[in-house]
Amino acid sequence: RGSVGEAAVRMTGLDGDVVTELIDPGFVGDAPDGIGTNSAWISESLAERTGLGPGDDLPLVFYSGGFENLSISAVYSSGAGLLGDVAIDRPVLMRQVPATPDLFALVRTDGTKAASDSVRELSASYGVPAVSTPQQFVGERGEMLRGFERVVLWMLLFTLLRARVGGVNPLMLSVG
């Protein structure tokens, strides 16, 4: 996460050399060959909020305190759900945010067991403990969110029970 001027943004680091082989976020105008270490792609909504476009400088401030002044090489219209507001080359992100608790990679294979085994072996060599299919990845994240939902519901139920019994003034309860 970070900001561009007054606009808060979510960012994604991608392997800039091969990203266009893996995803097509619906480019507005010409599609770039990739993302360079001095360039970035921005979402159409960020372009509209900031008035920025291809060729403009992108003053990107990271919540970690770092700063990068990148050149906008493309605007995408449909990839914001996956990419956030700004897509940058992975080494730039790693330079600015050296530690992160949640890393993932999209890997296209031919679907054979040999390819799957190669991905698992390579991942293990970098200390990655798990390799998931897209369906497993989404399912695991969904289960985690359902767990948070259950905790919040139990907390709300407990608070309401305490209010009903008299331990908490129900007029002081609020949701904010």
Side-chain angles (χ1 to χ4, degrees), residues 105-107 131-140:
L106 300 174
V107 180
V131 175
S132 304
T133 65
Q135 296 82 2
Q136 291 169 327
F137 181 76
V138 170
E140 291 166 2

Side-chain angles (χ1 to χ4, degrees), residues 55-134:
D56 291 337
D57 286 339
L58 182 71
L60 193 56
V61 178
F62 293 79
Y63 284 170
S64 63
F67 175 82
E68 295 281 342
N69 194 29
L70 304 172
S71 176
I72 299 170
S73 62
V75 175
Y76 51 88
S77 61
S78 61
L82 175 65
L83 302 177
D85 299 300
V86 180
I88 58 178
D89 196 28
R90 185 178 45 83
V92 174
L93 183 65
M94 295 305 290
R95 179 173 59 237
Q96 293 296 339
V97 186
T100 180
D102 193 12
L103 294 174
F104 75 94
L106 300 174
V107 180
R108 180 180 10 174
T109 69
D110 59 8
T112 64
K113 182 173 177 356
S116 177
D117 291 344
S118 293
V119 168
R120 290 180 192 286
E121 182 179 326
L122 180 63
S123 298
S125 74
Y126 282 94
V128 175
V131 175
S132 304
T133 65

Side-chain angles (χ1 to χ4, degrees), residues 102 138-151:
D102 193 12
V138 170
E140 291 166 2
R141 293 302 186 258
E143 192 58 38
M144 182 178 68
L145 291 174
R146 281 189 288 284
F148 283 130
E149 177 186 29
R150 289 182 196 114
V151 168

